[in-house]
């Protein structure tokens, strides 16, 4: 690859701020240049007029009046639900799983169907500008092989692990394995696919996670065995991913059901090695800086403190929380605990592939939180949550997530003209005379108005990704 000069209207969150400091770290360069060196890294991000002399003769890609944004990062999405979006089951989480999702995921037992789904899943990710993702995988090893193979072919970033279930409803029977097979298959996936593309976890695009569906889908023995397995591979950079405190409908919700089934004080205890009655220690913790827990709508303060203490992150999925009636993750209280909060589509509990639509939902639900918790998210917080926060949650903030010099060049070209409503809003919308507020208004309109058709080009490590 040779050096490239990309021109456009640049927005990104520079440095390594906390969410609350994102506005101070927001960079806008209306007539900007993003220079990618021959190794696929950011060599320059600044004004077009100040391009370093060494790059003035390089090939120029002029995307003006389009925008250049960091690639979107999805920290929670379901591969075996690729064709299960907007599934109607007549109820909330647990009914929806039994009636819709377990049957849909069981179809991946057919290898040809699994390959079809892997192709579609990657194509939809590219169309949505999702350059990196934490992917909840299929229970079937051949389906995971298809997913990793297709992801590698496309040149995308992914962390994924097979969905682990050792107990459950009759409709989940095809997805359930024995205790021994749960560990064997997970270990085999780690050995086969973790950093398989480069052989080095620090340069790889492909990584593996240990992924129990949730605590009700496994047993104490499973959690003990997974804790021991994770303890043995943690230093290899393997991840942990699952669901936490998603749905708490009185009497039948997942949160109360989990606490009752395990006899524990908090749902988080089950992942923290304290899964015996009374929250007694029964094994090793699965929490840590490469652990991401989805939803966290109904966390107790003690759970948030423990997550912050261990470096465990939250995948915030407001679209699916609305779809399944799960409630609203308290934005200010969760951030105040010190945990990293990143965006997740949760497709197919969510029915959007596009991270900006998740950010749009987040803005709407959090401004609607009753009383003092209600907050108008700053546009920079929104951009941070969909980009740099995701890289932080994946423990790869040093590699991508913004346009700091030296980082790997994951970015998008957004052409508003492809979406007339967005184009009109950006061209003719009212802007403040205050330049900072005008900047924020432009970014807000862009994030709220982006649709898949506006995403014209997608790059990972400076290489353009083909949607085909």
């Amino acid at each position: 690859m040779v050096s490239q000069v990309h021109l456009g209207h640049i927005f990104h969150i520079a440095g390594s701020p906390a969410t609350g400091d994102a506005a101070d770290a927001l960079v806008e360069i209306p007539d900007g240049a993003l220079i990618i060196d021959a190794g696929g890294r950011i060599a320059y991000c600044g004004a077009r007029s100040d391009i370093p002399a060494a790059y003035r003769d390089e090939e120029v890609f002029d995307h003006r009046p389009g925008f250049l944004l960091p690639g979107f990062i999805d920290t929670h999405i379901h591969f075996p639900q690729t064709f299960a979006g907007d599934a109607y089951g007549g109820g909330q989480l647990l009914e929806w799983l039994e009636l819709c999702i377990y049957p849909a995921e069981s179809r991946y037992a057919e290898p040809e169907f699994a390959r079809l789904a892997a192709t579609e899943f990657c194509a939809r990710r590219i169309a949505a500008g999702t350059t990196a993702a934490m992917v909840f995988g299929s229970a079937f090893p051949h389906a995971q092989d298809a997913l990793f193979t297709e992801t590698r072919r496309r040149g995308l970033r992914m962390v994924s692990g097979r969905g682990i279930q050792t107990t459950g409803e009759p409709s989940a029977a095809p997805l359930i394995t024995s205790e021994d097979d749960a560990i064997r298959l997970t270990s085999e996936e780690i050995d086969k696919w973790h950093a398989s593309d480069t052989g080095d976890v620090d340069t790889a695009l492909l990584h593996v996670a240990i992924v129990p569906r949730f605590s009700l889908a496994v047993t104490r023995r499973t959690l003990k065995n997974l804790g021991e397995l994770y303890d043995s591979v943690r230093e290899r950079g393997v991840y942990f991913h699952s669901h936490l405190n998603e749905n708490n409908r009185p009497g039948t919700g997942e949160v109360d059901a989990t606490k009752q089934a395990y006899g524990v004080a908090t749902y988080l205890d089950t992942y923290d090695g304290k899964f015996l009655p009374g929250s007694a220690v029964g094994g090793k913790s699965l929490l840590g800086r490469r652990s991401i827990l989805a939803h966290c709508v109904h966390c107790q303060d003690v759970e948030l403190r423990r997550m912050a203490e261990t470096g465990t992150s939250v995948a915030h999925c407001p679209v699916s929380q609305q779809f399944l009636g799960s409630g609203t993750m308290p934005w200010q209280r969760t951030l105040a605990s010190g945990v990293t909060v990143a965006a997740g589509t949760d497709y197919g509990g969510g029915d959007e592939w596009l991270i900006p639509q998740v950010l749009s939902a987040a803005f709407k639900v959090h401004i609607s939180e009753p009383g003092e918790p209600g907050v108008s998210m700053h546009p920079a917080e929104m951009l941070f949550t969909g980009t740099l926060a995701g890289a932080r949650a994946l423990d790869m903030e040093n590699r991508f997530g913004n346009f700091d010099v030296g980082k790997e060049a994951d970015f998008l070209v957004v052409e508003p003209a492809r979406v007339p409503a967005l184009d009109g809003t950006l061209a003719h919308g009212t802007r403040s005379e205050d330049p900072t507020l005008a900047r924020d208004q432009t970014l807000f309109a862009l994030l709220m108005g982006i649709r898949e058709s506006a995403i014209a080009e997608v790059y990972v490590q400076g290489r353009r990704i083909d949607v085909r």
Side-chain angles (χ1 to χ4, degrees), residues 43-87:
Y44 171 83
C45 176
R48 178 171 63 94
S49 59
D50 296 331
I51 291 175
Y55 294 100
R56 289 177 185 166
D57 294 329
E58 299 295 343
E59 184 176 9
V60 174
F61 299 84
D62 193 346
H63 307 292
R64 295 175 298 172
F67 291 80
L68 304 179
L69 299 177
F72 298 128
I73 299 171
D74 190 341
T75 56
H76 184 59
I77 185 169
H78 289 259
F79 163 53
Q81 296 173 22
T82 298
F83 301 112
D86 288 319

Side-chain angles (χ1 to χ4, degrees), residues 75-76 134 230 239-244 268 271 286-296 299 303-317 329 334-335 337-343 384-385 388-397:
T75 56
H76 184 59
M134 170 66 84
Y230 194 41
Y239 290 79
F240 171 73
H241 186 49
S242 194
H243 301 87
L244 177 71
L268 185 69
Y271 299 133
L286 292 160
L287 307 183
R289 62 186 178 88
R290 288 204 163 189
S291 299
I292 300 177
L293 294 173
H295 304 297
C296 301
C299 285
E303 293 175 292
L304 292 174
R305 286 196 298 271
R306 178 59 177 159
M307 291 172 68
E309 177 184 276
T310 57
T312 301
S313 299
V314 172
H316 181 28
C317 309
M329 186 202 80
T334 304
L335 288 181
S337 72
V339 300
T340 295
V341 178
F384 174 82
T385 303
L388 190 59
R392 184 173 299 170
L394 291 171
D395 195 33
M396 288 191 269
E397 184 181 5

Side-chain angles (χ1 to χ4, degrees), residues 10 51 98 125 141 158 161 189 196 208 257 375 392 412 426 447:
I10 292 172
I51 291 175
E98 184 174 359
R125 274 191 57 191
M158 182 180 71
E189 184 174 40
S196 61
V208 174
V375 61
R392 184 173 299 170
L412 312 175
L426 290 170
L447 291 175

Side-chain angles (χ1 to χ4, degrees), residues 194-412:
H194 190 56
S196 61
D197 53 318
T198 67
D200 180 354
V201 69
D202 293 326
T203 61
L205 298 180
L206 303 179
H207 298 81
V208 174
I210 292 172
V211 186
R213 180 183 289 277
F214 59 162
S215 295
L216 289 176
V218 294
T219 67
R220 290 189 177 92
R221 180 181 171 190
T222 312
L223 290 170
K224 183 177 188 299
N225 291 341
L226 291 178
E228 291 176 354
L229 173 61
Y230 194 41
D231 191 59
S232 72
V233 298
R234 192 187 287 263
E235 293 305 313
R236 292 168 57 184
V238 172
Y239 290 79
F240 171 73
H241 186 49
S242 194
H243 301 87
L244 177 71
N245 289 326
E246 180 177 0
N247 185 288
N248 199 30
R249 185 173 59 182
T252 61
E254 161 227 16
V255 179
D256 285 344
T258 300
K259 291 194 290 186
Q260 292 167 10
Y262 282 88
V264 293
T266 74
Y267 191 156
L268 185 69
D269 285 342
T270 61
Y271 299 133
D272 201 15
K274 297 177 286 188
F275 47 74
L276 297 180
S279 294
V281 174
K284 298 182 183 297
S285 178
L286 292 160
L287 307 183
R289 62 186 178 88
R290 288 204 163 189
S291 299
I292 300 177
L293 294 173
H295 304 297
C296 301
V297 176
H298 304 285
C299 285
Q300 301 175 41
D301 287 345
V302 67
E303 293 175 292
L304 292 174
R305 286 196 298 271
R306 178 59 177 159
M307 291 172 68
E309 177 184 276
T310 57
T312 301
S313 299
V314 172
H316 181 28
C317 309
V319 174
S320 72
Q321 287 153 23
Q322 291 177 303
F323 183 81
L324 292 171
S326 297
T328 300
M329 186 202 80
W331 180 255
Q332 294 193 79
R333 184 167 72 89
T334 304
L335 288 181
S337 72
V339 300
T340 295
V341 178
T345 60
D346 192 27
Y347 198 91
D351 56 355
E352 289 285 351
W353 291 83
L354 190 64
I355 286 295
Q357 285 296 289
V358 174
L359 303 176
S360 172
F363 179 85
K364 294 166 187 173
V365 299
H366 295 309
I367 202 170
S368 301
E369 289 186 58
E372 290 187 6
V375 61
S376 175
M377 292 177 68
H378 193 282
E381 289 185 329
M382 297 167 65
L383 180 62
F384 174 82
T385 303
T387 58
L388 190 59
R392 184 173 299 170
L394 291 171
D395 195 33
M396 288 191 269
E397 184 181 5
N398 64 317
R399 293 183 60 185
F400 56 89
N402 62 14
F403 295 151
D404 287 356
V405 171
K407 287 195 177 180
E408 297 168 30
D410 293 10
F411 67 98
L412 312 175

